[in-house]
Amino acid sequence: MPIERMLFRTEALAIVLASAVAFPTGVKIGLQLAARRVEGVNEDTWWDRHDLMFGHRRHRFRAEDSLPDEVVRFGVRFPDGSKATTVDGRTDSGEWPPPRPEGPILRRSSGSGGSGDDRSVSSNWSLWLWPLPPPEPFEFAVEWPLYDVPLTFTEVDGAAIVAAAGRAQPYWGQTK
């Protein structure tokens, strides 16, 4: 389902919450990121930022470490106060099936392409949110110090996502 909400925009950067694909257990969130080289950004800085737009650098950190400015942070906050971010630092227990987590989880799941050159770059990112949001408005957050993106909240319609999940169809039926 389309969401099409501008999360943040400057002369150099745009971040759009583009879409959601709802499943009975969670939702895949589609983001579009676009940047352009503005006056005063040198060649090395531009290419470093270009690579970040594709998520080529994965940062590993411990909870006690401060996050590098290069790390983009996404998050959700539900009306009951529960929240999750892409930098929560939760680790995989290695158990299968994994234990049911406490509270929501938001993880970057993939990038699905994009394009760029020495003047501009665009990229598509996907996040996985578990569980489904409640059927009421909730907040989606973004922060990216490298691009001077302050912690910014945007309201999202949880009811529309829950309704879409209700329409989800399995790819294959049960076999007998």
Side-chain angles (χ1 to χ4, degrees), residues 62-83:
R62 296 181 306 259
E64 64 270 12
D65 293 341
S66 62
L67 290 173
D69 289 348
E70 296 85 26
V71 176
V72 61
R73 300 114 158 116
F74 294 105
V76 294
R77 183 167 52 195
F78 296 147
D80 69 0
S82 62
K83 58 186 177 178

Side-chain angles (χ1 to χ4, degrees), residues 38 93 119:
V38 295
S93 69
R119 303 300 313 159

Side-chain angles (χ1 to χ4, degrees), residues 12 15 33-34 42 44 52 57 59 80 83 101 111 132 143 146 155 162:
I15 303 173
L33 288 76
N42 69 39
D44 289 337
L52 287 172
R57 290 192 224 162
H59 296 277
D80 69 0
K83 58 186 177 178
L132 282 172
E143 180 182 39
L146 179 72
E155 188 174 280
V162 171

Side-chain angles (χ1 to χ4, degrees), residues 70-114:
E70 296 85 26
V71 176
V72 61
R73 300 114 158 116
F74 294 105
V76 294
R77 183 167 52 195
F78 296 147
D80 69 0
S82 62
K83 58 186 177 178
T85 73
T86 54
V87 294
D88 281 341
R90 295 183 180 164
T91 58
D92 186 0
S93 69
E95 297 176 48
W96 190 257
R100 187 174 186 91
E102 297 289 326
I105 292 176
L106 184 65
R107 289 203 173 139
R108 177 151 180 232
S109 58
S110 67
S112 61

Side-chain angles (χ1 to χ4, degrees), residues 117-159:
D117 57 30
D118 65 342
R119 303 300 313 159
S120 65
V121 60
S122 64
S123 181
N124 300 311
W125 290 24
S126 293
L127 305 177
W128 175 252
L129 172 61
W130 176 93
L132 282 172
E136 55 192 306
F138 69 95
E139 295 177 303
F140 190 88
V142 63
E143 180 182 39
W144 200 354
L146 179 72
Y147 275 100
D148 297 320
V149 178
L151 181 58
T152 304
F153 293 92
T154 302
E155 188 174 280
V156 177
D157 182 4

